[in-house]
Amino acid sequence: MLRRFRRSSFWLGGAASLAAGALFVLPGTEGAAGVMAGADAEPVAATAGATTPFVTVEAETGTLGGAAAVRSLKPGATVPSVATLETEASGNALAELRNTGDSVTLKNTSGKQANSLVVRASIPDAATGGGIDATLDLYVNGTYRQAITLSSKQAWNYRDATTNPDDPHAGGMPYRFYNEFPVRVTGAAVPAGATLTLRKDSANTAAVYDVDSVDLENVAAARTRPAGSLSVLDYGADPDFGTDATAAIQNTVNAARAQGRSVWIPPGKYLTNSLSGTTLDFTGVTVEGAGMWYTTIYRKPPLPATWRSQILVGSGTTLRDLQIDSNAVWRGVGGSGGADYGINASGAGGWLVERIWTRHTDANWLSGSNGTVRDSRTADSYGDGFNINNSNTPNPDKLGYHITVQNNFARGTGDDSFATYSDAGASGTNGQVDGARILDNTAIAPWWANGLRIAGGRNVEMTNNLVNSVSSNSALDIGVFGDTGHPLESATVSGNVLIGGGGWNGVRHGVRISSPASTSRYPDAYTNVTLTGNVLRGAFRAGLYVDRKNVDVTLTGNTIDAPADQGIWIASGVTGTGTFSGNTIQNLREGKAATQNDSPSTFRIGG
């Protein structure tokens, strides 16, 4: 059964509230020309995403001062063929400050005071690459409070540059424009209901400031040392970012492991730039910081890097309450740009990671069995946000069994924000990832790849996640990865809110479902997936696209709202079945089909 509604014009103004766990109301018929009224065309409401301690305010919703302007990409417009500031912005919109006196004023709508901010913004690259630093002034209720230092040194990569990804003169396409800047507010906290103004004053020397959003948070006091723990300070770690702390931290962990005790990393910024080539290994130990705003492990290898800086999490490890940051400037795990995994988790005995914040790292790479990552953040990554996998190897400690990623927030990731990836390997001996659970997460503005991805596996559950503003690919991609990827035997996708999708990287759509290619190790395998109760909103092309050979899909109770093209598009050459019931396709543009099946003789749609 399919319910279909149409109206002649539609514009998703701004972005949905990004306060995690908030109610997302999908537009109905208000304010549109040529609307057919009816009870079935009421707005659609759905809840999805992570519950976080901060509230995000989009800059484009603020009050502009001077000659400041909003730049935006509207659904239905021609999708750019290259990355733009608009495609990479949350809500696909931003406030631009070009002239002295330009400003944007936002209100603290968090309902509580805010002693900390995260400003997401872009400033230009240096003429020869490598980035610049520049300040931007912050006012509270109209009174100057402080200068915020912004930088483009870890932004502005150039895709397919012939020299290196940081070279603007090597023929590459610019992307990765934004960075996030955590700010502790000077003086009194910003009261609830107060205004925050970001203004380009005469001392603010960047040619342009593109402001995407501001997070407002009232950070609690630092956590205190757990009883019986070993402190890294007692083993010589420097909390003031002066001398390398790698050996001191590892020696503390080794001693704690031998003594059956935990490790305490007090407030501070701990430099890790050892040239020993070894990684920090926390296997079997509980390692705790004072909180992600207080304890930072900062990787600063000399660039170009030649050594690994990831943190190993193995069987019996608990890691919590700290931030991991780095000086990386482009992707390439363990390579010349300095990026490496945030954490690399494995182990048959289970592990727990909670309340960590990874920044400027590659993926958080999650294998093993019975592991959980929860209540964490990642930003400005050079790879996936959180990737559940079998580590591309047949190893009993890297099976990818029953791993849960829940209530996490990812923004500005350099690959899929949340993914599960099952690889058979070149020899086909890797086992199938089983029981991956991706629940209650928020994915905002990945600058490369997808918001969510299911690439093979069995018993995959992807529930109550929020995706918004995918720059290059799809809000959700379902199928396999590469020619050695395992088929998708079974997955349930339910209760997700998927906003946008269909970016600049070729012809992409809101949600894509596909199967192994003819060159795959499994060329005749089917993709098997059930989608129930999801909302697909404002795709820049088709809402749901099914392609490539063998697909069995069940669609029940989903809403596809305001796609730029078809609601559902089955491409030519697809074989399989579609069991569709209780779905709603609404707010179609004139001349666009609710369902277009270009494989009517091989892909049967039934109720």
Side-chain angles (χ1 to χ4, degrees):
M1 178 176 67
L2 185 69
R3 292 180 292 167
R4 174 182 175 184
F5 308 102
R6 173 181 292 164
R7 69 184 188 184
S8 61
S9 66
F10 184 78
W11 157 224
L12 295 172
S17 167
L18 299 185
L23 183 68
F24 295 88
V25 179
L26 306 188
T29 59
E30 67 283 2
V35 173
M36 296 292 294
D40 284 333
E42 289 299 314
V44 178
T47 56
T51 300
T52 69
F54 57 87
V55 167
T56 299
V57 181
E58 293 293 326
E60 65 271 17
T61 68
T63 300
L64 303 179
V70 168
R71 293 177 53 173
S72 62
L73 177 64
K74 300 179 181 181
T78 300
V79 181
S81 59
V82 297
T84 67
L85 286 158
E86 292 90 341
T87 64
E88 289 190 13
S90 57
N92 299 124
L94 59 129
E96 188 163 82
L97 317 179
R98 283 191 171 273
N99 310 289
T100 299
D102 286 359
S103 66
V104 58
T105 297
L106 308 170
K107 189 174 182 179
N108 178 4
T109 57
S110 67
K112 56 188 177 182
Q113 68 178 11
N115 60 17
S116 303
L117 312 173
V118 177
V119 178
R120 187 172 194 253
S122 174
I123 60 175
D125 196 3
T128 58
I132 64 171
D133 296 329
T135 59
L136 182 63
D137 287 345
L138 171 67
Y139 294 75
V140 177
N141 284 334
T143 300
Y144 175 81
R145 182 63 68 89
Q146 68 198 87
I148 298 171
T149 299
L150 309 181
S151 178
S152 57
K153 292 180 178 178
Q154 291 179 285
W156 289 90
N157 289 168
Y158 299 87
R159 184 171 178 80
D160 298 325
T162 57
T163 53
N164 67 72
D166 224 21
D167 185 350
H169 302 294
M173 180 199 74
Y175 66 161
R176 199 183 193 281
F177 303 114
Y178 292 93
N179 216 323
E180 299 192 3
F181 303 95
V183 178
R184 298 306 295 260
V185 175
T186 299
V190 179
T195 60
L196 297 133
T197 299
L198 295 170
R199 190 168 80 185
K200 180 176 172 11
D201 290 326
S202 58
N204 307 142
T205 56
V208 60
Y209 295 81
D210 293 302
V211 182
D212 181 31
S213 63
V214 177
D215 299 341
L216 299 103
E217 182 174 357
N218 196 45
V219 177
R223 295 175 182 269
T224 57
R225 180 176 180 174
S229 62
L230 300 181
S231 173
V232 298
L233 300 186
D234 294 335
Y235 287 76
D238 178 3
D240 297 320
F241 204 60
T243 58
D244 177 66
T246 306
I249 293 172
Q250 189 64 63
N251 288 341
T252 313
V253 171
N254 294 345
R257 188 184 296 116
Q259 298 175 36
R261 301 169 71 177
S262 65
V263 170
W264 167 240
I265 308 181
K269 187 175 182 180
Y270 296 84
L271 174 65
T272 56
N273 67 347
S274 169
L275 298 179
S276 66
T278 58
T279 60
L280 288 170
D281 186 350
F282 292 172
T283 298
V285 176
T286 294
V287 179
E288 302 179 73
M292 63 177 69
W293 281 88
Y294 294 99
T295 297
T296 298
I297 296 176
Y298 190 94
R299 305 164 176 172
K300 194 178 180 182
L303 299 179
T306 58
W307 57 281
R308 303 303 298 268
S309 57
Q310 60 191 279
I311 291 176
L312 300 180
V313 170
S315 293
T317 305
T318 295
L319 176 63
R320 58 169 64 107
D321 297 314
L322 55 79
Q323 182 180 146
I324 302 167
D325 198 358
S326 86
N327 67 331
V329 292
W330 67 73
R331 190 173 191 178
V333 174
S336 58
D340 207 336
Y341 295 145
I343 60 167
N344 187 347
S346 62
W351 45 264
L352 171 64
V353 175
E354 58 184 355
R355 298 187 301 274
I356 70 163
W357 190 0
T358 57
R359 304 175 58 230
H360 307 113
T361 69
D362 203 273
N364 291 296
W365 191 250
L366 313 172
S367 65
S369 302
N370 302 307
T372 297
V373 178
R374 64 192 181 200
D375 307 332
S376 295
R377 311 180 197 181
T378 192
D380 300 327
S381 72
Y382 298 94
D384 298 316
F386 299 89
N387 185 307
I388 299 171
N389 59 80
N390 57 10
S391 206
N392 313 107
T393 183
N395 185 321
D397 276 325
K398 300 179 179 182
L399 297 176
Y401 284 0
H402 307 294
I403 296 174
T404 299
V405 174
Q406 186 167 21
N407 200 58
N408 304 290
F409 183 91
R411 184 167 52 200
T413 58
D415 213 318
D416 305 319
S417 297
F418 296 90
T420 180
Y421 166 38
S422 185
D423 180 42
S427 63
T429 56
N430 300 352
Q432 178 76 289
V433 170
D434 196 339
R437 301 167 73 234
I438 298 175
L439 315 174
D440 310 307
N441 303 288
T442 296
I444 304 296
W447 53 271
W448 174 243
N450 309 283
L452 303 172
R453 183 158 193 182
I454 301 174
R458 72 167 65 96
N459 301 317
V460 177
E461 181 183 355
M462 186 171 275
T463 303
N464 294 339
N465 302 284
L466 168 67
V467 176
N468 196 1
S469 310
V470 176
S471 179
S472 66
N473 287 17
S474 302
L476 167 60
D477 189 279
I478 301 169
V480 297
F481 184 86
D483 285 348
T484 62
H486 276 298
L488 180 58
E489 295 181 29
S490 55
T492 300
V493 178
S494 61
N496 302 284
V497 175
L498 309 170
I499 303 172
W504 56 261
N505 184 32
V507 180
R508 303 285 177 156
H509 303 275
V511 173
R512 179 197 182 206
I513 305 174
S514 65
S515 64
S518 60
T519 54
S520 167
R521 175 177 290 277
Y522 309 97
D524 298 320
Y526 273 74
T527 289
N528 300 280
V529 61
T530 296
L531 289 88
T532 304
N534 303 284
V535 175
L536 287 60
R537 173 189 179 190
F540 282 94
R541 293 190 180 88
L544 173 64
Y545 177 66
V546 181
D547 75 329
R548 196 189 289 164
K549 203 172 180 182
N550 299 329
V551 173
D552 284 337
V553 55
T554 299
L555 295 178
T556 305
N558 302 282
T559 296
I560 300 176
D561 188 69
D565 289 329
Q566 306 93 331
I568 299 171
W569 181 15
I570 314 300
S572 177
V574 177
T575 297
T577 58
T579 304
F580 296 0
S581 64
N583 302 292
T584 298
I585 299 177
Q586 64 183 33
N587 296 321
L588 288 169
R589 288 177 169 77
E590 289 296 330
K592 301 301 181 182
T595 300
Q596 178 178 324
N597 186 357
D598 290 341
S599 301
S601 63
T602 56
F603 186 86
R604 183 181 60 83
I605 297 176

